[in-house]
Amino acid sequence: MSIVGSSSTVARGAGPDRNDTQEAHVTQGPLTTEAGAPVADNQNSETAGVGGPVLVQDQLLLEKLAHFNRERIPERVVHARGAAAYGTFTLTRDVSRWTRAKFLSEVGKQTETFLRFSTVAGNLGSADAVRDPRGFALKFYTEEGNYDLVGNNTPVFFIKDAIKFPDFIHTQKRDPYTGSQEADNVWDFWGLSPESTHQVTWLFGDRGIPASYRHLNGYGSHTYQWNNEAGEVFWVKYHFKTDQGIKNLTTEEAVRLSGVDPDSHQRDLREAIERGDFPSWTVQIQVMPADEAAHYRFNPFDLTKVWPHEDYPPVEIGRLELNRNPENVFAEVEQSIFSPAHFVPGIGPSPDKMLQGRLFAYGDAHRYRVGVNADQLPVNRPRATEARTHARDGALYDGRHGGAKNYEPNSFGGPFQTDRPLWRPTAGFAAGTGTHEAPVHAEDDDFVQAGDLYRLMSEDERSRLVENLAGFIAKVSRDEIAERAIHNFRRADGDFGKRLEAAVQALRG
């Protein structure tokens, strides 16, 4: 399928079962100011006579200009460029042996969802078809509150500890002096952070540039806790396998497409839903009994590693379908928020140090970027239940609590605690606090899985991987940075390193 030069040919609203609410939001009648007063002239500013200067008493002019200046909120620092759609998750397998979450309690049960795809490093106006991980942020509107699963289209990540995340992102963003992304910064950090070798091998392989959002897999990436009614604990990883099949772009195809249609991915998603071609994903989980974690051959909470399928085979549990486009991109896509701290009963965090950092960072980012009441915007608020809190006031507060008391406990019928935690305590850790390194398991190595991935590839895939890596590494200005980067791949696989070294040398002369 060619998506080069595609354009929107489907009339707005042509998709089946579309919530056609545009007209309902704009009533007929005179144009008014924000305060509801009728507008006599929306074409001409008020002036001191014909051709004279504009008057400050023209409050319609000032109101419109002031609102226009404030129509945007800060873009996301990461994952700024994205597109989203509403959908439905349908449970197809009984998973009550592992979790007590109600939205996972009955085969055939459906839950409304909102899924946002994104690139990671680019700004809001950047192109879609670039070599970059894709965010896969999924909100389940469950009857026990919203559950957010914030992942990527890769099962691993570049680092394993959140304390390194600001440094990592600084290397991917614009250099403070040049204002551009610099190969020196990228490869200097990756070379000095060998745990990135596995993810970099993913990124520069064939799946580094998906053909569209519909043709990529999604992963929860982190390890999460599931706990059942009996209190038993299981560690879980999520997989969303595209039913459309994996399709990718070569570097040359992506460069051309980015110039012809920088909105290619979001356009493809929107138009597919408009014509009733609803994309879907088969949902799988890997399950590890809690008591196996401490003695597993590598740290199961290490975000730079996968659980091999021969150890923990994926189990199919459901199907995710996207079937409705947002009505307003700003209100529903830009103002949407996702946080891995949004859990429901029966699901919780793991000791994954990257996940632990994200539990704070995501919510904090949304409070800064959208506002302290961002959770109560229409796209973010719970739909199958209601939020009952004692939080009041602040920007965007809608007064929904009326005169109710704003403290707990109280004697006036206010919301009360349940005394039942959403997840179980994690056992088996020493009580002492400090800046500990992760516990060492038998195969806690930064290169084993990158080498395994390389050896799984066909010869053509290996050649493209080496070509993609060499083209970027060759841009660095210092030989030691290039050599350090190559050495990490050499440690993953001798042939990998040898071929990469030769390719880089050829390009650098």
Side-chain angles (χ1 to χ4, degrees):
M1 180 190 72
S2 174
I3 55 176
V4 176
S6 64
S7 60
S8 182
T9 58
V10 179
R12 178 172 169 82
D17 299 323
R18 179 177 175 272
N19 283 0
D20 210 355
T21 55
Q22 172 97 3
E23 291 75 22
H25 293 165
V26 182
T27 59
Q28 297 298 313
L31 179 69
T32 74
T33 66
E34 296 286 346
V39 173
D41 187 344
N42 194 45
Q43 316 306 317
N44 303 288
S45 301
E46 189 173 350
T47 60
V50 177
V54 172
L55 300 179
V56 74
Q57 72 182 38
D58 189 344
Q59 290 300 297
L60 175 64
L61 170 67
L62 301 187
E63 178 182 271
K64 290 178 68 177
L65 295 179
H67 191 283
F68 182 78
N69 285 343
R70 294 162 175 80
E71 281 182 358
R72 291 293 169 264
I73 58 179
E75 68 175 44
R76 290 167 168 87
V77 176
V78 288
H79 297 277
R81 173 70 174 179
Y86 295 95
T88 304
F89 169 75
T90 303
L91 187 70
T92 60
R93 182 189 181 99
D94 182 1
V95 296
S96 59
R97 60 180 289 198
W98 298 311
T99 180
R100 59 187 171 95
K102 286 186 178 179
F103 81 102
L104 299 174
S105 64
E106 183 180 348
V107 172
K109 189 165 188 173
Q110 294 190 328
T111 303
E112 184 181 6
T113 62
F114 185 73
L115 174 59
R116 184 177 186 270
F117 304 92
S118 56
T119 53
V120 176
N123 297 92
L124 184 60
S126 59
D128 288 338
V130 295
R131 187 173 299 280
D132 201 13
R134 299 303 188 275
F136 194 92
L138 180 61
K139 187 182 298 294
F140 297 85
Y141 299 101
T142 91
E143 65 266 51
E144 297 178 293
N146 290 348
Y147 172 44
D148 290 352
L149 186 61
V150 186
N152 284 322
N153 70 322
T154 59
V156 294
F157 197 60
F158 299 92
I159 53 177
K160 62 182 74 174
D161 193 316
I163 200 168
K164 297 182 70 170
F165 188 76
D167 300 290
F168 164 61
I169 293 299
H170 285 164
T171 72
Q172 305 298 301
K173 290 287 191 175
R174 299 180 185 276
D175 181 88
Y177 173 68
T178 68
S180 302
Q181 187 191 60
E182 295 295 334
D184 280 8
N185 302 353
V186 173
W187 286 107
D188 193 31
F189 181 86
W190 283 348
L192 292 168
S193 304
E195 71 263 33
S196 67
T197 306
H198 190 193
Q199 170 73 323
V200 174
T201 304
W202 273 90
L203 180 60
F204 283 82
D206 284 356
R207 296 192 185 188
I209 315 178
S212 81
Y213 290 136
R214 296 183 298 123
H215 294 96
L216 55 77
N217 289 342
Y219 300 90
S221 301
H222 296 289
T223 300
Y224 293 93
Q225 183 198 110
W226 275 16
N227 59 91
N228 62 21
E229 286 289 351
E232 296 174 301
V233 170
F234 303 88
W235 301 119
V236 171
K237 283 186 177 290
Y238 296 91
H239 303 253
F240 296 78
K241 298 302 182 71
T242 175
D243 295 330
Q244 291 69 238
I246 294 288
K247 291 186 180 181
N248 307 298
L249 300 173
T250 65
T251 301
E252 295 73 22
E253 289 171 334
V255 169
R256 183 172 65 254
L257 181 58
S258 294
V260 173
D261 183 9
D263 301 329
S264 58
H265 285 26
Q266 71 173 35
R267 186 190 310 283
D268 174 85
L269 178 65
R270 186 188 71 246
E271 291 183 351
I273 294 174
E274 285 179 341
R275 66 176 178 262
D277 183 11
F278 300 145
S280 64
W281 286 260
T282 297
V283 184
Q284 303 172 339
I285 57 170
Q286 291 178 281
V287 183
M288 176 189 291
D291 59 3
E292 295 182 13
H295 306 290
Y296 190 46
R297 52 198 175 97
F298 57 83
N299 181 359
F301 310 116
D302 181 347
L303 185 56
T304 68
K305 294 181 174 63
V306 299
W307 297 355
H309 289 187
E310 59 267 27
D311 293 350
Y312 297 98
V315 178
E316 182 177 330
I317 67 166
R319 182 174 183 270
L320 174 68
E321 177 186 87
L322 299 183
N323 47 38
R324 180 163 66 89
N325 285 317
E327 288 292 330
N328 183 285
V329 172
F330 177 77
E332 297 165 89
V333 182
E334 280 306 296
Q335 291 194 132
S336 65
I337 64 171
F338 301 84
S339 172
H342 289 171
F343 292 112
V344 293
I347 303 177
S350 76
D352 178 341
K353 295 181 78 173
M354 272 295 294
L355 174 59
Q356 292 285 321
R358 295 174 85 199
L359 296 179
F360 161 76
Y362 274 59
D364 188 59
H366 302 321
R367 284 185 286 270
Y368 153 72
R369 194 179 67 86
V370 185
V372 71
N373 288 300
D375 282 298
Q376 297 311 313
L377 292 173
V379 68
N380 301 320
R381 70 169 64 118
R383 300 194 172 193
T385 185
E386 63 174 324
R388 293 181 292 273
T389 77
H390 295 292
R392 299 289 192 273
D393 308 335
L396 304 179
Y397 180 61
D398 59 7
R400 64 189 177 279
H401 299 91
K405 303 298 184 185
N406 62 344
Y407 59 90
E408 193 280 333
N410 72 53
S411 303
F412 298 88
F416 50 86
Q417 66 189 42
T418 66
D419 294 323
R420 188 179 187 188
L422 304 188
W423 60 83
R424 301 284 296 175
T426 302
F429 297 99
T433 61
T435 55
H436 303 292
E437 294 185 3
V440 177
H441 295 238
E443 292 186 11
D444 274 334
D445 181 286
D446 292 327
F447 309 105
V448 168
Q449 292 199 352
D452 290 343
L453 178 59
Y454 176 79
R455 290 182 288 274
L456 281 173
M457 296 178 179
S458 68
E459 178 56 33
D460 285 347
E461 289 174 325
R462 294 180 190 178
S463 295
R464 288 189 293 268
L465 169 64
V466 169
E467 180 182 359
N468 293 334
L469 284 167
F472 196 10
I473 295 174
K475 295 178 181 179
V476 304
S477 63
R478 296 169 60 178
D479 289 342
E480 67 269 24
I481 295 177
E483 172 51 35
R484 189 187 301 120
I486 295 167
H487 182 61
N488 284 340
F489 296 103
R490 187 183 295 119
R491 295 175 70 183
D493 183 274
D495 178 70
F496 190 2
K498 180 179 179 181
R499 292 171 63 170
L500 182 58
E501 181 178 26
V504 170
Q505 287 178 349
L507 290 172
R508 289 170 70 89

